[in-house]
Amino acid sequence: MKGWTALAVLLVAGCGGPDDSAPAQPPAGFHIGKADLTRAAPNDICQSRDAAFLRNLILRVTSALPPGTQGFDFEDFNVAKVQEGEAMEAVLRFKSTGADGHPQMMYAFGPFDPATCAIGPMTGGAGTTPHAAGAMETFHVGG
C-alpha cells in the first residue's frame, strides 16, 4: 500500500512542478498567411503589438476599393525590402470580384515602417503583386 501511495505522490508532484518547456519565442517576422488567421496567438510582429492590426488594414483597404468591387478574401500580408535600398514595402493580397463580375487577385501596397508597423499611403489594383507583369493600378488608399 505504501508503494502505491509513494507512486501517487510522485505522479502528482511531477504534474504540479514547474513547466520544463521552453517559453514561446516572440515573433520575428512580418508575414501573415491565410493559415495564421486561425492561430490562437499571432505569429507576426504587427499583430503581436496590436491585435487589431490586420482588421484595421483590411478596413482601410476595403473602404478604398473601386465602385462595384465585391467581396474580400484575404490571401496574405507580407513585408519586404524595396530593391533600390533599405526601405520596406508592405503588400496585402486578396481575392475580390471586380465590377465586371469576374473574381480576381488584387493587391494593395505602400511604404512600411518596421519600428511601428505603420503603413503609409497605399496603391492597389488587379494582379498578384504590384510588380507583376500585367498588374493594373485601380485605387489609392490614404495614409
Side-chain angles (χ1 to χ4, degrees):
M1 191 68 158
K2 286 183 181 180
W4 289 109
T5 305
L7 181 60
V9 169
L10 285 173
L11 289 174
V12 170
C15 293
D19 186 7
D20 291 335
S21 64
Q25 294 294 320
F30 297 105
H31 178 78
I32 305 170
K34 201 168 209 166
D36 296 321
L37 299 179
T38 58
R39 286 185 184 273
N43 198 31
D44 66 281
I45 294 169
C46 296
Q47 288 187 111
S48 294
R49 292 179 185 165
D50 176 9
F53 169 80
L54 186 60
R55 177 185 61 90
N56 292 340
L57 177 60
I58 289 171
L59 289 172
R60 186 175 154 204
V61 170
T62 56
S63 69
L65 290 174
T69 304
Q70 297 177 1
F72 187 101
D73 182 15
F74 175 82
E75 189 67 29
D76 60 16
F77 171 81
N78 199 36
V79 174
K81 285 189 179 179
V82 179
Q83 292 177 352
E84 294 85 37
E86 292 298 312
M88 297 186 89
E89 172 182 270
V91 178
L92 174 68
R93 294 183 332 128
F94 57 96
K95 292 177 185 165
S96 191
T97 301
D100 62 0
H102 292 96
Q104 60 188 350
M105 180 65 81
M106 297 185 80
Y107 65 86
F109 78 106
F112 180 79
D113 180 353
T116 63
C117 289
I119 303 170
M122 302 176 83
T123 301
T128 55
T129 69
H131 309 295
M136 248 179 7
E137 184 178 306
T138 59
F139 66 94
H140 297 276
V141 183

